[in-house]
Structures are given as structure tokens and as C-alpha cells.
Amino acid sequence: MVQNASLTDSAYAEVKALILQGAIAPHAQIDEKAIAGRLGMSRTPVREALLRLEHEGLVEIERGRGIVVRALSSGDMREIYQAITGMEVMAVYLLAASRPGRDTLEPLFAALQRMEQATVHADLELWGEADEAFHRGLLVLCGNSRIERTGLQFRDLSRRAHLVAMRLQALDYLARSTEAHRELTELILAGDPDQAATAHFRQRRRGEDMLVTAVEKFRLVAL
């Protein structure tokens, strides 16, 4: 049983990474047999991994097609973005209220440093990875395991779509957003939960409008 669980975890991590990185496109059918062969395992742990991914909303079963990667519409993206905002704003409040030291916030400062480097080099991919690390850090550090678990699941669900939408922005978006992230981190470090939560809510709302509007403008129907 332990070995089977380990194989399922490996298959789950592999397929999930392929989906989040866009290596398996939205609406694409997932070949259970091919993945099992690639990983050198039977189809059973792969099937179990795909059931986990279906539960998380990353894949779905379509009649006559089998298991396919779930695509997000701009409406889906907006709803997911709003759900993440609710959880992240509370995460920011809890984190600031705990009056963390700079050492505790090191994951956020490290992500900020990578964001600044990516901005200098206009590297959208690096910036996107650092931005994702920053937001996941807020959820992990907040001290509420339910917010962390659910928030990370929603971030996984929207990650591919978020990267697509980000690529549609002008390059000055990187500098403005990086500065907003730094200001938020300083408010958290200052131990000001109300101001930090308010600032993050406003930034998330601006980001939602910019990113989802860009997707709608270019009429992207499958993210």
C-alpha cells in the first residue's frame, strides 16, 4: 500500500506539473497509458492520480473522450480570482497580526528580490514564478491551515490562466506590481493588519480588472 501511494503521488505530481506549465493544453485528452509508460509504472496509480486531479478541478471526465484537461473561461477566472482574493486578504491580516519578524518573512523578501531581477531583465517567466512564490508564501505563513490548503488549491487551478493573462500586460505592469508587493510586505512587517489587508484587497481588485479584462479583450476562450 505504501509503495502504491508513493507511485500515485509521483504520477500526481508529474501530471499536475504538465498541466500547470501548459505542456498539456486545455481540452487535451490525457493518455493514461502513455503517462504510465513515461513514468515506468502501471496504469493503476496514474488513474488514481487523475481522480485526485479531477477532485481538484484540473481535469474532468467527458463522455466519449475520457479524461481531459479542464479549460477556464474568463468568467471562471474572475470567480476563482475573487475566491483567492478573499482567502489572501484574510491570510495577510492574520500574518500581519502575528507581528512577524523579518526572518519569518524571508520567503516573501526572497520572492521580491527575484521579481525585481526579472523586472530589470523584462523576464515574464521568471517574474511569474516569483509572483506565484510570493502569493503562496502569504497563504503558507498565515497560520491557518484551512486557508493555506484551500488557497493553494485555488492558486493551482488558476495558475496556467494567470500566466497567460500576465503575458498580455505591458512591461511596466511588472514594475508597478512589484512595488505594490514590496509595500504590502513592509505593512505586514510593521504589524499593521488592517492597513495591510486593505492594501492587498485594493491591489487584488486592480489586478483582477487588468488581467481578466485583457483575457476578454483578446477573446481567449480556453485558458
Side-chain angles (χ1 to χ4, degrees):
M1 288 295 292
V2 174
Q3 183 180 9
N4 190 58
S6 178
L7 290 174
T8 299
D9 289 343
S10 296
Y12 167 82
E14 177 76 13
V15 179
K16 185 173 185 178
L18 291 172
I19 293 172
L20 296 183
Q21 293 164 8
I24 305 179
H27 293 308
Q29 186 175 13
I30 295 179
D31 189 331
E32 206 175 276
K33 183 178 179 181
I35 291 175
R38 173 177 177 169
L39 298 178
M41 61 179 67
S42 71
R43 295 174 67 172
T44 298
V46 173
R47 189 174 300 114
E48 292 172 350
L50 290 171
L51 289 174
R52 283 172 61 181
L53 292 168
E54 181 193 20
H55 178 72
E56 293 180 6
L58 287 171
V59 303
E60 57 188 346
I61 299 175
E62 291 188 356
R63 183 174 299 177
R65 292 194 65 201
I67 299 177
V68 300
V69 175
R70 183 184 175 195
L72 299 180
S73 67
S74 61
D76 292 328
M77 185 178 173
R78 190 178 291 278
E79 288 187 358
I80 294 169
Y81 206 95
Q82 290 169 352
I84 293 172
T85 293
M87 287 180 279
E88 279 196 14
V89 168
M90 180 53 73
V92 164
Y93 182 92
L94 293 173
L95 182 54
S98 71
R99 302 187 68 82
R102 190 178 181 93
D103 288 348
T104 300
L105 300 182
E106 181 54 33
L108 302 185
F109 283 109
L112 277 170
Q113 186 175 21
R114 295 199 301 276
M115 291 168 76
E116 289 168 347
Q117 292 171 348
T119 299
V120 171
H121 297 288
D123 188 331
L124 284 170
E125 296 297 328
L126 178 60
W127 193 93
E129 292 173 4
D131 176 66
E132 183 67 26
F134 182 94
H135 288 275
R136 296 176 84 89
L138 294 175
L139 295 165
V140 170
L141 294 172
C142 78
N144 183 313
S145 61
R146 288 175 173 79
I147 288 177
E148 176 186 350
R149 181 171 60 252
T150 307
L152 292 177
Q153 183 176 331
F154 271 96
R155 289 208 66 88
D156 284 342
L157 188 58
S158 68
R159 189 171 179 178
R160 183 186 62 232
H162 180 76
L163 288 174
V164 171
M166 190 191 70
R167 294 187 185 109
L168 301 176
Q169 305 302 313
L171 286 178
D172 66 346
Y173 168 82
L174 302 187
R176 287 185 285 108
S177 186
T178 300
E179 181 58 29
H181 284 68
R182 180 162 291 282
E183 290 173 358
L184 173 64
T185 306
E186 294 297 342
L187 287 172
I188 294 172
L189 184 61
D192 191 337
D194 290 318
Q195 193 171 349
T198 298
H200 193 48
F201 177 75
R202 289 174 178 169
Q203 173 62 17
R204 291 283 307 176
R205 291 292 292 155
R206 287 193 296 269
E208 175 192 332
D209 287 338
M210 289 177 63
L211 296 171
V212 180
T213 298
V215 168
E216 292 171 342
K217 176 182 176 181
F218 286 92
R219 298 179 182 179
L220 301 180
V221 296
L223 296 164

